[in-house]
Amino acid sequence: MIERLEAILNRYNEITNELTKPEVLSDIKLSTKLSKEQANLNEVVELYKVYKQLLEDIDTAKSMLHDKDLASMAKEEIEIDNEKKKEIEEKLEILLIPKDPNDDKNVIVEIRGAAGGDEANIFAGDLFDMYKKLAEKEGWKIDIIEEEKSEAGGYSKISFMVKGDAVYSKLKYESGAHRVQRVPATETQGRVHTSTATVLVMPEVEDVDANLDMNDVRIDITRSSGCGGQGVNTTDSAVRLTHIPTGIVVYSQTERSQIKNKEKAIKILQARLYDLKQQERDKELGEERRSKIGTGDRSEKIRTYNYPQNRVTDHRIGFTLNTLDRVMQGDIDKVINALITEDQKRKLADKNI
């Protein structure tokens, strides 16, 4: 561990030196890249400096054990510092877990009403509102890509991009089937119904990662339909892309500009292809992925939202909160943090097997 920490410290110092050079400062792309890399190393470096100082303090205290007048105080100080040392080592172990390369990326989220008819679509809308309120709290920006509104309310499908700081690191656990248990507004007997909506979270993909050959894509331009404003519907601005090798179809119509709709559709297609590639890779790794929380498969039931009992339960980690009302207002941090903590524990356990 010390060797890895020293290497990180050396790299941090190298970057500091690089950022003082005029040729680096004049290259905005390079200086931004180096500054971002240094920012990612900062937490480890600062904690490692505290750890090194603590080791020095322990050595100093040990040298005082031979002094009769100071031995008692030194022994007490060593015990306290050893406890601090253990705590810092545990934190450093977590910080040294290999980082998901997608964690800093923006995401594309797709929510669909699934089992339960109108109630499923209404719940899909509730989930969208939950993520929208979470985004407001986090200072993220939401950009709707495609929406198919349901007559009863909510959405049969809605796709949107979430832009901000390390969005994927917090939303990547949301993929799967979300189940709701409540009395629908249309229920006259007061019976609790169970419905589901599916969520798919995909990292925004750079062109270099997507490996998308536009020769494999059929582009269809159509007239926008549905809600989007009167101006939207008067021009052929909607774009449908079909990826011929995989059969993946994406559609974008929220912009008045055909060019902007095409750009959004390409972003979704790139993300879908990257997600498909990741799923195939995970399947090949099989048991080696035992530390992963969930498969990201839409069919996997990951969470239940029980309205009568004001309860939300994440089934993957057995985590329950009795504050569903607050969760639906975007206060989902405790669930996300519990998932992150459990993910770290599993990765540490997997590393030590």
Side-chain angles (χ1 to χ4, degrees):
M1 185 176 77
I2 296 297
E3 287 179 5
R4 288 183 65 193
L5 288 166
E6 279 295 323
I8 289 170
L9 179 59
N10 289 336
R11 177 58 184 157
Y12 185 90
N13 292 333
E14 282 176 14
I15 296 172
T16 300
N17 185 49
E18 286 292 308
L19 288 171
T20 62
K21 296 178 179 178
E23 62 271 24
V24 173
L25 291 172
S26 62
D27 187 335
I28 296 174
K29 192 174 180 180
L30 178 59
S31 61
T32 300
K33 181 183 175 183
L34 289 172
S35 296
K36 191 173 181 179
E37 183 184 351
Q38 189 176 56
N40 287 334
L41 299 176
N42 189 64
E43 188 177 2
V44 180
V45 169
E46 291 303 314
L47 191 57
Y48 181 44
K49 287 178 180 177
V50 173
Y51 182 70
K52 288 177 77 173
Q53 182 59 55
L54 196 59
L55 293 180
E56 289 181 16
D57 292 344
I58 290 172
D59 286 340
T60 301
K62 283 180 178 178
S63 69
M64 296 163 58
L65 289 173
H66 304 293
D67 189 317
K68 290 181 180 180
D69 296 329
L70 301 174
S72 178
M73 183 181 69
K75 187 177 180 181
E76 185 178 339
E77 187 176 328
I78 290 170
E79 288 178 2
I80 294 171
D81 285 347
N82 275 328
E83 282 298 313
K84 290 180 183 176
K85 177 173 171 282
K86 185 180 177 182
E87 289 176 11
I88 291 176
E89 284 173 345
E90 288 173 356
K91 289 179 182 177
L92 285 170
E93 273 196 325
I94 290 172
L95 290 173
L96 289 175
I97 294 172
K99 192 176 179 183
D100 186 330
N102 293 319
D103 274 354
D104 290 330
K105 293 183 178 180
N106 299 326
V107 303
I108 293 171
V109 183
E110 184 182 282
I111 306 175
R112 292 175 182 263
D118 288 342
E119 173 65 6
N121 294 337
I122 292 169
F123 180 52
D126 293 338
L127 288 176
F128 173 63
D129 288 339
M130 179 183 76
Y131 293 128
K132 189 164 63 173
K133 286 165 183 171
L134 172 65
E136 289 171 2
K137 282 178 56 182
E138 295 285 345
W140 298 337
K141 181 186 176 185
I142 282 185
D143 185 13
I144 295 175
I145 298 169
E146 179 188 359
E147 57 180 9
E148 295 176 10
K149 291 187 176 180
S150 169
E151 289 184 9
Y155 302 91
S156 57
K157 175 185 175 183
I158 182 165
S159 301
F160 54 97
M161 180 173 282
V162 187
K163 300 177 181 179
D165 183 33
V167 180
Y168 187 73
S169 69
K170 294 184 179 178
L171 291 185
K172 63 183 175 182
Y173 306 104
E174 296 302 297
S175 288
H178 295 238
R179 182 175 69 173
V180 63
Q181 295 174 327
R182 65 184 176 190
V183 179
T186 55
E187 169 59 52
T188 57
Q189 303 297 319
R191 292 172 297 186
V192 173
H193 287 224
T194 298
S195 306
T196 59
T198 61
V199 176
L200 177 63
V201 177
M202 301 171 287
E204 183 184 16
V205 181
E206 303 294 334
D207 291 342
V208 69
D209 297 323
N211 197 25
L212 174 61
D213 185 349
M214 290 305 293
N215 291 320
D216 292 334
V217 180
R218 186 176 75 241
I219 304 173
D220 296 307
I221 308 300
T222 64
R223 184 153 293 186
S224 298
S225 60
C227 301
Q230 187 176 356
V232 173
N233 300 320
T234 58
T235 59
D236 292 332
S237 60
V239 176
R240 181 188 293 110
L241 303 183
T242 304
H243 188 249
I244 297 166
T246 61
I248 294 173
V249 178
V250 299
Y251 186 73
S252 179
Q253 68 167 25
T254 55
E255 300 289 343
R256 296 190 179 203
S257 162
Q258 183 188 122
I259 293 173
K260 288 183 179 179
N261 278 327
K262 183 180 176 183
E263 288 174 354
K264 283 187 173 184
I266 288 174
K267 282 283 186 187
I268 302 174
L269 182 55
Q270 288 175 328
R272 281 183 174 277
L273 290 172
Y274 183 79
D275 183 63
L276 183 64
K277 187 168 67 175
Q278 289 294 103
Q279 286 183 33
E280 290 171 353
R281 178 177 170 273
D282 288 348
K283 191 177 292 185
E284 287 174 7
L285 289 171
E287 286 303 308
E288 290 181 38
R289 297 297 294 165
R290 60 186 171 272
S291 67
K292 187 175 182 181
I293 290 183
T295 62
D297 193 314
R298 285 186 204 254
S299 64
E300 181 189 18
K301 182 183 72 179
I302 64 167
R303 196 174 297 148
T304 294
Y305 304 74
N306 186 298
Y307 276 72
Q309 297 178 24
N310 198 34
R311 185 184 73 231
V312 59
T313 299
D314 195 288
H315 303 290
R316 294 164 295 179
I317 59 173
F319 183 80
T320 296
L321 285 175
N322 293 104
T323 54
L324 175 59
D325 53 338
R326 290 166 57 184
V327 167
M328 299 311 292
Q329 292 300 312
D331 190 10
I332 194 173
D333 306 74
K334 288 182 180 177
V335 181
I336 291 173
N337 290 335
L339 286 161
I340 291 171
T341 300
E342 180 61 25
D343 194 25
Q344 290 171 342
K345 285 180 182 177
R346 293 186 188 185
K347 285 176 179 173
L348 277 174
D350 193 52
K351 185 183 75 173
N352 294 327
I353 288 174

